Amino acid sequence: MYYGGIEAGGTKFVCAVGDVHGNILERVQLPTLTPEETIPKVIEFFQHHKIQALGVGSFGPIDINVKSDTYGYITSTPKTAWTNYPFLQALQMELHIPIGFNTDVNVAALGEVTLGAAKGLESCLYITVGTGIGAGAVVQGNLLQGYSHPEMGHILVRRHENDTYIGKCPYHKDCLEGLAAGPAIEERWGKKGVELAHDSKVWEIEAYYIAQALMQYILVLSPEKIILGGGVMKQQQVFPLIREKVASLINGYVDLPPLEEYIVPPSLGDNAGITGALILAKQSEV
């Protein structure tokens, strides 16, 4: 049995056909343009395959409350062409199969807890630090959801004493995303993070903000594993700095596993999201 998966990001859509073990039969990558340009190509890809169900992990904010009139919509996204777009309904209208719909970070968390770095655990936190910052949480084996999905990238953090950068978030300026996402790094320093790999002060400030966020997540959610993904986190030199600062901030208040095993990169790498989408597709059949 094959399933379909969509990892819908702000810059690209990854569409794949595979099984629930993460084996991918075929995949394509499409640029995220307008819905009128992108969605017909997505639908066409899946119409050429016999799939049992489809799982979608989307950029957001999105409405994942099944009781809501706008369930399945992309809502107040900064990508104006996609604002209030009925994403799920557009797919259902053409594909006529069960479709699971959730956030891109939630499906990545689902992938990692099922087949990746948190396999065998009951809880984990998956955080992506890239164009934006978002997090998905698995608690007692289930994706965390309340009124809507968590927006952990927009918490407030204390400003680093040497950081005068105003912040990039269009809603909150100097929230976590506004200070630590990829575009903030580039605007603050005048270069992309990948070009600043050997500049220690860049990663000192980055680790300072991420560690504060992790402290708050640890104290609120107590995850069994924290997984840090996204383009910025490909700078492996920041991991030891984050762990060091988390240890300092927690200051022995709660017992944690060895941080080298607790705060880790995704073991599924760039496939965490699409793998989670395939697993979500299987779950949607129930």
Side-chain angles (χ1 to χ4, degrees):
M1 273 190 206
Y2 287 110
Y3 297 90
I6 299 174
E7 184 180 12
T11 57
K12 67 179 184 294
F13 271 56
V14 177
C15 303
V17 172
D19 62 27
V20 293
H21 305 294
N23 301 308
I24 293 173
L25 180 69
E26 185 176 348
R27 68 190 289 162
V28 296
Q29 183 172 304
L30 304 166
T32 304
L33 303 173
T34 65
E36 293 74 22
E37 293 169 292
T38 302
I39 296 301
K41 293 177 181 177
V42 170
I43 291 167
E44 182 182 10
F45 172 76
F46 289 111
Q47 285 175 333
H48 284 97
H49 296 87
K50 184 172 176 56
I51 55 174
Q52 302 296 310
L54 177 65
V56 180
S58 176
F59 69 92
I62 61 176
D63 188 343
I64 59 171
N65 181 355
V66 295
K67 297 178 181 177
S68 169
D69 291 339
T70 54
Y71 169 64
Y73 278 52
I74 296 175
T75 57
S76 55
T77 175
K79 296 184 72 65
T80 53
W82 295 82
T83 301
N84 297 320
Y85 177 69
F87 190 0
L88 175 61
Q89 290 77 2
L91 297 172
Q92 288 173 327
M93 196 178 303
E94 298 294 334
L95 297 176
H96 310 292
I97 53 175
I99 301 177
F101 184 72
N102 218 304
T103 68
D104 49 0
V105 283
N106 268 350
V107 298
L110 184 60
E112 287 290 332
V113 82
T114 308
L115 296 171
K119 184 177 180 180
L121 302 179
E122 285 292 304
S123 66
C124 77
L125 188 63
Y126 179 93
I127 303 154
T128 184
V129 185
T131 305
I133 297 180
V138 174
V139 179
Q140 295 182 335
N142 297 308
L143 289 170
L144 180 63
Q145 179 180 340
Y147 178 74
S148 184
H149 54 84
E151 282 287 356
M152 296 188 228
H154 293 266
I155 64 171
L156 300 180
V157 290
R158 295 174 181 166
R159 183 175 285 277
H160 191 284
E161 62 182 3
N162 296 325
D163 189 16
T164 58
Y165 175 61
I166 190 172
K168 185 72 172 172
C169 176
Y171 293 94
H172 315 115
K173 279 296 181 191
D174 60 353
C175 63
L176 177 65
E177 179 174 294
L179 292 172
I185 294 172
E186 182 176 1
E187 192 168 85
R188 180 191 286 109
W189 301 104
K191 294 180 181 178
K192 293 183 181 293
V194 69
E195 301 174 68
L196 297 162
H198 302 295
D199 192 333
S200 60
K201 61 182 179 293
V202 171
W203 306 107
E204 157 69 25
I205 289 177
E206 183 72 6
Y208 179 82
Y209 292 132
I210 294 174
Q212 285 185 66
L214 297 194
M215 177 195 182
Q216 295 178 58
Y217 305 150
I218 289 166
L219 295 177
V220 173
L221 295 173
S222 194
E224 293 172 277
K225 185 82 75 175
I226 294 175
I227 302 157
L228 293 171
V232 172
M233 297 312 302
K234 290 185 177 179
Q235 299 297 320
Q236 292 289 310
Q237 72 275 16
V238 77
F239 275 88
L241 298 173
I242 292 169
R243 294 176 186 127
E244 178 185 324
K245 292 181 187 302
V246 166
S248 176
L249 288 167
I250 294 291
N251 198 28
Y253 182 65
V254 293
D255 290 329
L256 294 174
L259 295 186
E260 293 77 12
E261 302 168 13
Y262 185 58
I263 300 170
V264 299
S267 69
L268 296 175
D270 292 337
N271 286 324
I274 201 65
T275 301
L278 292 170
I279 295 165
L280 183 65
K282 170 64 175 174
Q283 293 180 352
S284 75
E285 288 188 297
V286 178

